[in-house]
Amino acid sequence: MTDDRLVRSFYDLAFGVDPGGARKDAHYVRGSLEEVRRDLAAELAEDINLYLLCWYGARLTLDVYQEGKKTDSIDLHPFLTISIAGYPDITFTGPGEPVGYDFEADEEAEDETTTLSHRMFAGDLGDACKVAVHWDRIEVPALGGEVVRDGDVVALHPLPGHFEETAAYGYQDFEE
C-alpha cells in the first residue's frame, strides 16, 4: 500500500556542505513559495551561512516535487547578491563560484582577522550586510495535486552517494 503522504507536491529548499571542515545538510519542506522565501531569508541573515556559500561552495537549491517526484532543481546561487559596506557586491555564477570578491586572497592575509572571510565566520557583519534574492528572475513552477502540509512526511531524492531521506514538513538538518 502506498503512503499518501509520500506522494504530495512540495518545495525542498536545500542548503548544504559536503562533510569536511564544515557540515550542513538543511532542508525546508514547504507547500508554498512564500514559506520558502521566509526560510531562505532567515538562512541568509546568518553570517556563517554566507561564509559557507562564499568559502565552502555550499549547495543552495530549490527542488520542486510534483506528486512525490522531483521535477525541477533550481540552483539559487545566480539569483543572490550579497552587499557588504566597504566591499564590492558579491554574486555567484554557481556553487563555489563567487564573483566580486577574491576569497582566495584572504588566505594570504597577514592578519586573517581583518579578512572578509573571517568577518563572515565570526559573525561580525551585522547591519553592514544585506542579501538580496532576485525572486523576480526565478521561474518556479506552481505545485499541483495534493500539496504537503504540517504533519506530512515526504521522500527526498538523494544526491549521488547519499541515501534517500524522508523529511517532515518544515525544517530539518540531516547533519545535526
Side-chain angles (χ1 to χ4, degrees):
M1 180 182 221
T2 304
D3 184 344
D4 289 338
R5 296 177 302 171
L6 297 176
V7 295
R8 300 233 188 239
S9 297
F10 62 95
Y11 298 114
D12 173 25
L13 175 62
F15 185 26
V17 178
D18 290 330
R23 300 177 83 96
K24 184 176 184 102
D25 190 14
H27 293 264
Y28 291 85
V29 172
R30 297 298 190 185
S32 76
L33 194 52
E34 190 55 40
E35 291 171 301
V36 169
R37 288 178 180 185
R38 284 193 306 265
D39 294 333
L40 182 56
E43 284 287 332
L44 298 176
E46 296 182 33
D47 293 354
I48 190 68
N49 289 333
L50 301 180
Y51 174 78
L52 294 175
L53 284 169
C54 294
W55 186 257
Y56 274 95
R59 292 179 316 278
L60 182 60
T61 59
L62 178 59
D63 295 333
V64 181
Y65 289 76
Q66 301 288 3
E67 298 177 345
K69 293 186 169 106
K70 184 158 74 168
T71 58
D72 290 282
S73 184
I74 303 165
D75 177 14
L76 296 176
H77 291 87
F79 305 103
L80 300 178
T81 301
I82 302 171
S83 300
I84 303 167
Y87 297 93
D89 282 354
I90 300 165
T91 59
F92 298 83
T93 56
E97 299 172 4
V99 176
Y101 182 83
D102 183 4
F103 285 93
E104 290 180 12
D106 283 0
E107 289 186 52
E108 299 167 14
E110 287 184 32
D111 180 3
E112 75 171 32
T113 64
T114 63
T115 66
L116 180 55
S117 298
H118 178 78
R119 290 186 65 205
M120 287 177 167
F121 181 79
D124 288 344
L125 299 178
D127 292 339
C129 181
K130 303 287 184 240
V131 181
V133 180
H134 305 283
W135 288 105
D136 58 325
R137 296 183 6 223
I138 307 171
E139 293 184 34
V140 181
L143 298 176
E146 291 285 324
V147 176
V148 71
R149 58 183 182 257
D150 195 18
D152 286 343
V153 175
V154 296
L156 301 178
H157 298 284
L159 291 169
H162 291 76
F163 295 105
E164 182 174 274
E165 299 280 358
T166 56
Y169 174 87
Y171 168 81
Q172 50 265 295
D173 188 335
F174 294 111
E175 288 295 336
E176 289 181 340

